[in-house]
């Protein structure tokens, strides 16, 4: 492992106010989103959709890296060019999701543990040889009646840290993603408490496993009230709660925090990221960036709808969302940005 290389890659992933585009939906998740829109759930439809994304003209102005799925990293464009070559040629760093999904945590109803450590060393070696330079592993934590348990928080943090150590050994930057889910009626304060607890456990486990913090990216949830909580705080209050939580729990050596969108609307995800940067950017140890899937892709998927004639309009939408989030990183996003066409 060349430690300097992974540190350089991690910094490049959050440089120039750019962010990451997560296009690593597993086949079942991608199929579910296609099904909801009446798009055929075939390998060719998934390939065509991903080709639409990565051939978006100028995407590299706002997107530093894309996260792929195992099926996608092996696919090619219609003209035969491997996706990974097209991505690299566009000046974008290719990454790969390497967990194999969240399963029920034994003895803990309603809780999940993310799997995928078995055989991971070999898979990481292969992905590196294919051209990937970073990886992603997502842990999910649910807030509910009596949960999350210590068992869930600790088991997921342990798995994340063992994954991260294996990534760095293979020369890949680990994106460490502990996601506290938005589903539920919990309050902002509860989300803040659980997020802080999960982050403290994650960084403790990363320390125990000797993970180089300078060579990783943290991909957390924003601190939010549950989706069906009656009290929904303002954008500014959410920005304050999120950043204050991270200031307590995330070491300054981490090169960047790239938020997931988690089911927020595109506009809210941009507005909240924007507010954090307006209110805190000049006094934070790490840049606050984005690693959105739904909050960048969803409108484009709806426009594309599985139909070739819609590719250009879908790409314009994708470009627009990427541009809005680039503006949010600078604290310059507003309703005018939303109205700017691609
Ligand atoms: P969302 O932005 O849709 O939450 O997806 C991010 C992601 O990569 C989930 O693992």
């Amino acid at each position: 492992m060349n430690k300097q290389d992974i540190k350089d890659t991690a910094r490049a992933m959050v440089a120039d106010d750019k962010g990451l585009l997560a296009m690593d939906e597993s086949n079942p998740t991608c199929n579910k989103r296609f099904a909801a829109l009446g798009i055929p759930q075939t390998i060719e439809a998934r390939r065509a959709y991903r080709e639409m994304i990565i051939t978006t003209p100028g995407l590299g102005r706002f997107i530093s890296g894309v996260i792929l799925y195992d099926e996608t990293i092996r696919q090619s464009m219609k003209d035969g060019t491997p996706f990974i070559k097209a991505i690299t040629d566009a000046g974008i760093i290719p990454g790969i999701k390497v967990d194999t999904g969240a399963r029920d945590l034994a003895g803990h109803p309603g809780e999940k543990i993310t799997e995928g450590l078995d055989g991971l060393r070999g898979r990481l070696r292969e992905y590196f040889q294919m051209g990937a330079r970073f990886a992603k592993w997502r842990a999910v934590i649910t807030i509910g009646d009596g949960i999350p348990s210590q068992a869930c928080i600790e088991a997921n943090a342990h798995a994340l840290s063992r994954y991260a150590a294996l990534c760095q050994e293979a020369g890949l930057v680990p994106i460490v993603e502990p996601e506290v889910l938005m589903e539920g009626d919990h309050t902002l304060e509860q989300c803040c408490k659980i997020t802080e607890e999960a982050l403290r456990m994650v960084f403790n486990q990363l320390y125990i496993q000797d993970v180089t913090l300078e060579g990783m990216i943290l991909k957390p949830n924003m601190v939010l009230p549950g989706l069906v909580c009656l009290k929904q705080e303002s954008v500014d209050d959410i920005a304050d709660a999120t950043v204050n939580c991270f200031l307590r729990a995330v070491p300054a050596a981490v090169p960047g925090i790239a938020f997931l969108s988690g089911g927020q609307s595109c506009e809210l995800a941009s507005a909240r990221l924007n507010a954090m940067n307006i209110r805190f950017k000049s006094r934070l140890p790490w840049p606050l960036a984005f690693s959105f899937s739904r909050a960048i892709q969803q409108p484009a998927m709806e426009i594309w709808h599985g139909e070739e004639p819609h590719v250009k309009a879908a790409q314009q939408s994708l470009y627009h969302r990427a541009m809005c989030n680039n503006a949010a990183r600078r604290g310059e996003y507003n309703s005018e940005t939303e109205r700017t066409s691609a």
Side-chain angles (χ1 to χ4, degrees):
M1 187 230 321
N2 181 339
K3 272 198 183 173
Q4 195 53 49
D5 284 352
I6 55 171
K7 289 180 190 176
D8 291 347
T9 303
R11 268 200 297 273
M13 288 162 70
V14 290
D16 303 326
D17 296 325
K18 296 184 192 181
L20 302 166
L21 168 56
M23 47 181 287
D24 60 331
E25 301 81 10
S26 64
N27 289 348
T29 301
C30 189
N31 287 345
K32 199 165 77 191
R33 292 185 187 161
F34 279 7
L37 297 170
I39 300 168
Q41 297 112 65
T42 62
I43 185 168
E44 174 50 25
R46 291 191 297 271
R47 191 207 63 75
Y49 177 65
R50 267 69 183 251
E51 174 164 347
M52 181 279 288
I53 293 177
I54 63 179
T55 55
T56 297
L59 193 65
R61 285 179 60 192
F62 310 124
I63 297 295
S64 56
V66 291
I67 316 175
L68 306 171
Y69 180 60
D70 183 76
E71 177 181 90
T72 321
I73 199 172
R74 300 170 194 282
Q75 287 177 321
S76 300
M77 315 236 281
K78 233 174 16 211
D79 70 5
T81 312
F83 277 170
I84 205 133
K85 178 171 182 339
I87 291 165
T88 312
D89 288 352
I92 296 174
I93 310 169
I96 179 79
K97 167 201 181 79
V98 300
D99 67 69
T100 56
R103 306 282 183 302
D104 290 344
L105 179 64
H108 293 82
E111 300 198 281
K112 302 277 185 198
I113 176 69
T114 301
E115 296 186 344
L117 287 172
D118 289 351
L120 183 57
R121 176 176 273 130
R123 290 196 289 129
L124 292 174
R125 199 178 303 129
E126 186 193 7
Y127 289 137
F128 183 89
Q129 279 162 2
M130 290 171 87
R133 288 297 173 266
F134 67 91
K136 186 195 102 169
W137 178 292
R138 172 176 176 254
V140 290
I141 294 159
T142 304
I143 303 179
D145 205 8
I147 60 173
S149 63
Q150 178 78 1
C152 172
I153 290 181
E154 194 168 327
N156 276 296
H158 177 76
L160 275 167
S161 66
R162 287 187 55 206
Y163 139 82
L166 282 163
C167 283
Q168 292 189 339
E169 179 190 270
L172 294 158
V173 171
I175 295 182
V176 173
E177 181 179 4
E179 175 176 4
V180 178
L181 295 174
M182 280 169 73
E183 282 73 22
D185 63 358
H186 53 269
T187 61
L188 178 81
E189 289 74 21
Q190 282 172 299
C191 179
C192 190
K193 181 174 171 289
I194 301 300
T195 301
E196 182 174 341
E197 213 173 300
L199 289 172
R200 285 182 184 277
M201 183 68 78
V202 164
F203 282 103
N204 186 36
Q205 293 286 331
L206 290 169
Y207 178 68
I208 291 171
Q209 297 299 331
D210 284 325
V211 172
T212 301
L213 296 186
E214 294 84 348
M216 63 161 276
I217 296 292
L218 179 69
K219 176 167 174 166
N221 52 286
M222 296 182 191
V223 173
L224 303 170
L227 274 177
V228 293
C229 177
L230 291 178
K231 185 165 178 223
Q232 294 287 319
E233 278 77 2
S234 69
V235 166
D236 283 352
D237 286 349
I238 283 169
D240 290 358
T242 303
V243 176
N244 286 323
C245 174
F246 286 82
L247 281 169
R248 290 193 294 271
V250 181
V254 171
I257 295 180
F259 289 101
L260 60 92
S261 59
Q264 303 173 70
S265 72
C266 295
E267 292 78 7
L268 269 180
S270 299
R272 289 164 172 166
L273 178 62
N274 186 63
M276 289 183 223
N277 279 310
I278 288 183
R279 296 161 82 80
F280 293 94
K281 187 172 182 160
S282 60
R283 52 197 169 100
L284 291 178
W286 4 253
L288 296 179
F290 56 92
S291 176
F292 297 158
S293 163
R294 282 163 287 181
I296 292 181
Q297 285 188 52
Q298 192 59 32
M301 189 187 283
E302 288 168 20
I303 294 167
W304 175 67
H305 215 260
E307 292 162 33
E308 174 72 27
H310 299 165
V311 163
K312 194 158 174 269
Q315 289 179 331
Q316 280 169 351
S317 161
L318 199 76
Y319 182 90
H320 176 71
R321 289 261 49 95
M323 186 262 289
C324 285
N325 290 310
N326 175 263
R329 279 208 53 184
R330 296 191 306 275
E332 291 172 6
Y333 167 84
N334 53 36
S335 52
E336 199 56 42
T337 329
E338 276 299 340
R339 282 197 295 274
T340 312
S341 59

